């Protein structure tokens, strides 16, 4: 590992501290304060140097070390080879970015692995490792607005993140025959240097080399056929649409694959590990059918292909990897396929800026499960809502889902009470406004980012109603709401005959093995007519 001379480091640190205290103002004596400003603007060299250092975090207060400040990535080109026998990953990541301010130093996120060298626009750059940060010092100052490419050559054995508060194990997970790569919330840094936070999206090229006989999968579409030479096969995948880092994958191993199109003509790709061979056609067919159905409900599918992958590493969970949801060691039921594919609109195309807004992903994808159940003639969304509302002891009542907690991000409430919030909203504004809202949401924020405030504002604008209390009740308040509220009773169909249901038993995690399947009910109410 190389590093820049200690003297340079020192002066940057000292000047950085000086600039920092000056800009805070608070540490200056009263006499030095400008009365009106409250903060003194730094001037001179100290200030410009401080401005020129990219922050080690992108500014998510719940995950202060995640992502980085000072630049915006537009494209990752990952040229990687992996050998399962010795768990060795090696390659080059080329990261194209634009400087958001002058940069004399900036960070990438990378955990473990050995960095062999860093080039910036072809010139060697100095670098240091510090925890999960790769600190890079460009050979010359990069100017604000300048585009630059950082090329990191690295190798080693990737170590997944083990975090019991966030669904156990994630990131690059070595398996007996390859790897299962599922990275939410911040596991991309276990296999490539990145700005590892959902608020920085980029397009991706993957050039993945694996021992002949294995298949390497990534997001997007294959660019040409795989090429085999000297016992190794290289797969080129390209994701042309912006993608957050946690959705990137390079799952590899022994896979049977099926390629084709959905009924509506969208390219469709399925893959199964040998243990799930019998599921290949079913995953292919259902992924196509469900993607097509969602495009009639949520609006045009945002990406260039769809699909699904079952690997044999048992996580019990699935991840909505862009264009290729991955199911970890179980046969996915329709409900979870519907969930992961709904994420392509909610979470993947429209992404969160901050993790606290995670219900915008999980509440919506869970609500999609309810819509799918209803579409299939099983329980209606109304029945599932009513059933969940009647669960007085549910942990969701003590966890308001509108602000996901960093130490328990994927709490059941973010899923189920998030979905309930949407159903309560649907009851209040009616089916026509509700489904128009969903479609407008995905259209207005396609390939970008949005916040809970954005959603509330759009819901109010489209419905012409003040919805503060409704969102406050469902997203931000402790306790089980009294619902329907006075005045809403007429609009609720909760006590309609036939609304009796048998719900799946609550489980600690939303996608644990299902313990019960929703039971069909006679003549379910069908609101389809007004879904336009
Ligand atoms: N987003 C996934 C879902 O709800 C859950 C999830 C989060 C996950 N992090 C993960 C799954 C890591 C696998 C690995 O569908
Ligand atoms: Zn989900």
């Amino acid at each position: 590992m190389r590093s820049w001379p200690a003297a340079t480091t020192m002066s940057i640190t000292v000047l950085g501290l000086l600039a920092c205290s000056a800009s805070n103002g608070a540490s200056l004596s009263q006499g030095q304060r400008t009365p009106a400003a409250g903060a003194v603007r730094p001037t001179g060299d100290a200030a410009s140097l401080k401005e020129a250092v990219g922050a080690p975090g992108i500014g998510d207060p719940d995950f202060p070390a995640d992502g980085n400040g000072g630049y915006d990535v537009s494209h990752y080109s990952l040229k990687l080879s992996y050998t399962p026998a010795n768990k060795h990953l090696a390659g080059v990541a080329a990261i194209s970015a634009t400087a958001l301010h002058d940069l004399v130093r900036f960070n990438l996120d990378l955990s473990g692995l050995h960095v062999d060298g860093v080039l910036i626009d072809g010139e060697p750059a100095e670098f240091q490792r510090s925890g999960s940060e790769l600190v890079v010092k460009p050979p010359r100052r990069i100017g604000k607005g300048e585009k630059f490419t950082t090329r990191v050559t690295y190798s080693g054995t990737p170590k997944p993140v083990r975090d019991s508060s966030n669904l156990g194990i994630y990131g690059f997970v070595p398996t007996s025959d390859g790897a299962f790569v599922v990275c939410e919330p911040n596991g991309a840094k276990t296999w490539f240097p990145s700005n590892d936070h959902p608020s920085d999206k980029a397009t991706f090229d993957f050039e993945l080399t694996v021992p002949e006989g294995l298949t390497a999968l990534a997001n997007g579409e294959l660019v040409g056929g795989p090429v085999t030479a000297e016992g190794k096969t290289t797969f080129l995948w390209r994701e042309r649409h912006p993608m957050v880092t946690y959705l990137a994958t390079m799952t590899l191993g022994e896979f049977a694959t099926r390629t084709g199109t959905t009924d509506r003509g969208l390219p469709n790709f399925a893959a199964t590990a040998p243990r799930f061979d019998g599921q290949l056609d079913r995953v292919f067919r259902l992924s196509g059918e469900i993607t097509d159905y969602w495009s009639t409900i949520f609006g045009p599918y945002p990406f260039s292909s769809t699909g699904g992958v079952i690997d044999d590493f048992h996580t019990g969970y699935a991840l909505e990897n862009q264009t290729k949801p991955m199911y970890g060691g179980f046969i996915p039921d329709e409900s979870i396929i519907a969930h992961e594919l709904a994420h392509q609109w909610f979470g993947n195309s429209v992404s969160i800026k901050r993790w606290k807004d995670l219900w915008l992903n999980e509440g919506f994808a869970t609500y999609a499960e309810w819509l799918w159940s209803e579409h299939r003639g099983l329980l209606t969304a109304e029945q599932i809502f009513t059933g969940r509302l009647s669960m007085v002891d549910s942990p969701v009542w003590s966890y308001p889902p509108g602000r996901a907690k960093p130490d328990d991000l994927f709490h059941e409430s973010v899923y189920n009470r998030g979905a309930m919030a949407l159903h309560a909203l649907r009851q209040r504004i009616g089916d026509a406004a509700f489904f128009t809202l969903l479609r407008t949401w995905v259209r207005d924020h396609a390939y970008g980012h949005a916040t809970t405030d954005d959603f509330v504002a759009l819901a109010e604008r489209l419905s012409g109603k003040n919805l503060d209390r409704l969102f406050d009740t469902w997203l931000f308040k402790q306790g089980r709401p009294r619902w329907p509220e006075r005045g809403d009773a007429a609009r609720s169909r909760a006590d309609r005959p036939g609304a009796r249901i048998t719900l799946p038993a609550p489980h600690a995690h939303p996608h644990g093995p299902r313990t019960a399947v929703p039971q069909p009910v006679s003549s379910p109410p069908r609101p389809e007519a007004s879904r336009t």
Side-chain angles (χ1 to χ4, degrees):
M1 179 162 64
R2 296 183 305 166
S3 63
W4 52 86
T8 319
T9 317
M10 273 295 290
S11 63
I12 288 175
T13 311
V14 171
L15 290 171
L17 283 172
L18 282 173
C20 191
S21 57
S23 67
N24 285 339
S27 58
L28 298 176
S29 71
Q30 283 298 331
Q32 286 173 286
R33 270 192 159 175
T34 20
V40 179
R41 266 205 73 75
T43 52
D45 287 353
S48 64
L49 198 48
K50 188 221 172 209
E51 299 255 286
V53 173
I58 207 164
D60 188 331
D62 291 331
F63 294 84
D66 286 7
N68 305 286
Y71 63 91
D72 185 71
V73 180
S74 57
H75 185 75
Y76 292 92
S77 175
L78 305 177
K79 191 174 174 173
L80 298 169
S81 70
Y82 187 71
T83 312
N86 60 6
K87 295 187 166 53
H88 190 74
L89 178 75
V92 181
I95 303 146
S96 308
T98 304
L100 298 176
H101 53 69
D102 283 9
L103 286 175
V104 297
R105 193 176 95 195
F106 66 90
N107 286 20
L108 287 160
D109 300 308
L110 182 68
S111 70
L113 303 168
H114 178 264
V115 174
D116 304 303
V118 178
L119 299 177
I120 294 187
D121 294 332
E123 288 184 51
E126 291 170 359
F127 62 91
Q128 283 185 331
R129 306 297 301 276
S130 163
S132 291
E133 303 287 332
L134 168 62
V135 185
V136 179
K137 189 184 167 220
R140 54 173 182 86
R141 189 184 185 101
I142 298 168
K144 177 179 178 175
E146 230 184 278
K147 294 190 193 321
F148 63 102
T149 299
T150 308
R151 203 171 291 272
V152 181
T153 305
Y154 63 104
S155 58
T157 299
K159 297 265 185 319
V161 183
R162 285 169 211 278
D163 179 355
S164 55
S165 62
N166 277 326
L167 300 183
I169 187 166
Y170 63 91
F172 188 108
V173 184
T175 59
S176 55
D177 64 343
F180 185 55
V181 183
V182 286
C183 297
E184 192 182 13
N186 51 12
K189 65 172 183 282
T190 65
W191 62 285
F192 66 99
S194 54
N195 197 16
D196 195 8
H197 188 276
S199 55
D200 190 359
K201 291 190 183 196
T203 52
F204 282 71
D205 271 306
F206 303 86
E207 183 180 327
L208 306 175
T209 301
V210 294
E212 184 175 359
L214 300 186
T215 301
L217 305 169
N219 312 87
E221 298 80 50
L222 273 175
V223 185
V227 177
T228 299
E230 291 164 22
K232 301 216 176 261
T233 305
T234 298
F235 295 80
L236 298 173
W237 293 92
R238 175 170 296 158
E239 175 50 55
R240 297 156 215 267
H241 293 96
M243 177 164 79
V244 304
T245 50
Y246 73 75
L247 295 170
T249 188
M250 64 168 289
T251 288
L252 67 121
E254 282 177 48
F255 282 103
T257 65
R258 182 171 165 191
T259 308
T261 60
T262 70
D263 287 350
R264 300 180 121 219
L266 180 72
N268 186 13
F269 176 93
T272 49
R275 190 154 67 87
F276 297 95
D277 253 359
Q279 291 294 314
L280 182 63
D281 289 341
R282 178 176 166 275
V283 171
F284 180 85
R285 180 177 52 76
L286 280 173
S287 301
E289 185 185 340
I290 294 173
T291 303
D292 280 351
Y293 179 67
W294 286 151
S295 71
T296 70
I297 304 294
F298 304 140
Y301 183 70
F303 307 121
S304 305
S305 63
T306 188
V309 176
I310 314 181
D311 201 351
D312 60 6
F313 181 81
H314 189 81
T315 60
Y317 306 120
L319 187 64
E320 62 267 23
N321 299 80
Q322 194 152 308
T323 69
K324 279 179 197 64
M326 296 197 170
Y327 305 93
F330 63 97
I331 296 175
D333 61 17
E334 289 190 22
S335 181
I336 196 165
I337 297 173
H339 178 113
E340 306 310 333
L341 289 170
H343 271 308
Q344 306 305 313
W345 285 260
F346 305 104
N348 299 10
S349 176
V350 183
S351 302
I352 53 176
K353 271 192 194 121
R354 295 293 177 253
W355 284 108
K356 69 181 169 72
D357 287 332
L358 186 60
W359 84 280
L360 292 173
N361 297 4
E362 302 304 347
F364 285 56
T366 302
Y367 195 62
E369 295 181 45
W370 302 6
L371 295 175
W372 183 257
S373 164
E374 182 160 336
H375 172 66
R376 278 296 203 223
L378 305 175
L379 296 178
T380 64
E382 176 75 16
Q383 289 169 323
I384 299 173
F385 173 82
T386 307
R388 295 218 164 264
L389 186 59
S390 72
M391 295 163 68
V392 292
D393 294 328
S394 169
V396 305
W397 308 126
S398 55
Y399 184 128
R403 207 216 170 291
K405 301 177 192 189
D407 55 356
D408 200 359
L409 210 48
F410 299 97
H411 189 278
E412 187 202 338
S413 179
V414 176
Y415 289 71
N416 290 320
R417 192 167 152 189
M420 294 179 79
L422 287 173
H423 193 75
L425 173 66
R426 179 177 167 191
Q427 288 181 343
R428 170 68 63 80
I429 67 178
D431 282 5
F434 179 77
F435 287 99
T436 300
L437 170 63
L438 294 188
R439 296 169 74 103
T440 308
W441 178 247
V442 297
R443 194 194 62 206
D444 285 2
H445 299 288
Y447 311 117
H449 296 92
T451 65
T452 299
D453 286 349
D454 294 332
F455 185 71
V456 172
L458 185 64
E460 293 193 330
R461 183 159 70 72
L462 291 180
S463 69
K465 292 184 161 63
N466 182 325
L467 300 167
D468 286 352
R469 201 154 66 106
L470 181 142
F471 283 112
D472 203 43
T473 300
W474 283 98
L475 295 179
F476 298 110
K477 281 248 159 56
Q478 291 278 341
R480 190 170 76 104
R482 286 189 33 218
W483 199 263
E485 292 177 309
R486 191 185 296 280
D488 288 324
R491 261 158 287 176
S492 170
R493 293 167 297 171
D495 46 9
R496 162 191 290 243
R500 259 180 314 114
I501 55 174
T502 314
L503 274 173
H507 28 72
H509 282 299
H511 290 144
R514 302 282 160 142
T515 46
V517 179
Q519 300 302 306
V521 291
S522 53
S523 57
R526 305 182 73 85
E528 244 94 7
S530 52
R531 282 182 199 172
T532 47

